[in-house]
Coordinates of all heavy atoms in Angstrom, one line a residue:
G300 N 29.7 3.1 4.9 CA 30.7 3.6 4.1 C 30.9 5.0 4.4 O 32.1 5.5 4.4
M301 N 29.9 5.8 4.6 CA 30.1 7.3 4.8 C 30.7 7.5 6.1 O 31.6 8.5 6.4 CB 28.7 8.0 4.7 CG 28.3 8.0 3.1 SD 26.5 8.4 3.0 CE 26.4 10.1 3.5
S302 N 30.5 6.6 7.1 CA 31.0 6.8 8.5 C 32.5 6.4 8.4 O 33.2 6.9 9.4 CB 30.2 5.8 9.5 OG 28.9 6.3 9.6
G303 N 32.9 5.7 7.5 CA 34.3 5.5 7.3 C 35.2 6.6 7.2 O 36.4 6.5 7.4
W304 N 34.7 7.8 6.9 CA 35.4 9.0 6.7 C 35.7 9.6 8.1 O 36.5 10.5 8.3 CB 34.7 10.0 5.8 CG 34.7 9.7 4.4 CD1 33.8 9.1 3.6 CD2 35.8 10.1 3.4 NE1 34.3 9.0 2.3 CE2 35.4 9.6 2.2 CE3 37.0 10.8 3.6 CZ2 36.3 9.8 1.1 CZ3 37.8 11.0 2.5 CH2 37.4 10.5 1.2
L305 N 34.9 9.1 9.1 CA 34.9 9.8 10.5 C 35.4 8.9 11.5 O 35.7 9.4 12.7 CB 33.5 10.1 10.8 CG 32.6 11.0 9.8 CD1 31.3 11.0 10.0 CD2 33.3 12.4 9.5
V306 N 35.6 7.6 11.4 CA 36.1 6.7 12.3 C 37.5 6.1 11.9 O 37.6 5.5 10.9 CB 35.0 5.6 12.5 CG1 35.6 4.5 13.5 CG2 33.7 6.1 12.9
E307 N 38.5 6.2 12.8 CA 39.7 5.8 12.5 C 40.0 4.4 12.8 O 40.7 3.6 12.2 CB 40.8 6.7 13.1 CG 42.2 6.5 12.9 CD 43.3 7.3 13.5 OE1 42.8 8.1 14.4 OE2 44.4 7.3 13.2
A308 N 39.5 3.9 14.0 CA 39.7 2.6 14.5 C 39.2 1.5 13.7 O 38.1 1.6 13.1 CB 39.3 2.5 16.0
Q309 N 39.8 0.4 13.5 CA 39.3 -0.7 12.8 C 38.4 -1.7 13.7 O 38.4 -1.6 15.0 CB 40.4 -1.7 12.3 CG 41.4 -1.0 11.4 CD 40.8 -0.8 10.0 OE1 39.8 -1.5 9.7 NE2 41.4 0.0 9.2
G310 N 37.4 -2.3 13.2 CA 36.6 -3.3 13.8 C 35.5 -2.8 14.6 O 34.9 -3.5 15.5
L311 N 35.0 -1.5 14.3 CA 34.0 -1.0 15.0 C 32.6 -1.0 14.2 O 32.7 -1.1 12.9 CB 34.2 0.5 15.4 CG 35.4 0.8 16.2 CD1 35.6 2.3 16.5 CD2 35.3 0.2 17.6
V312 N 31.4 -1.1 14.9 CA 30.2 -1.2 14.2 C 29.2 0.0 14.7 O 29.4 0.4 15.8 CB 29.6 -2.6 14.4 CG1 30.4 -3.6 13.9 CG2 29.3 -2.7 15.9
L313 N 28.4 0.4 13.8 CA 27.2 1.4 14.3 C 26.2 0.6 15.1 O 25.6 1.2 15.9 CB 26.7 1.9 13.0 CG 27.6 2.8 12.1 CD1 26.8 3.2 10.9 CD2 28.2 3.9 12.8

Side-chain angles (χ1 to χ4, degrees):
M301 292 160 71
S302 297
W304 286 93
L305 308 170
V306 176
E307 182 179 12
Q309 298 284 342
L311 299 180
V312 299
L313 299 176

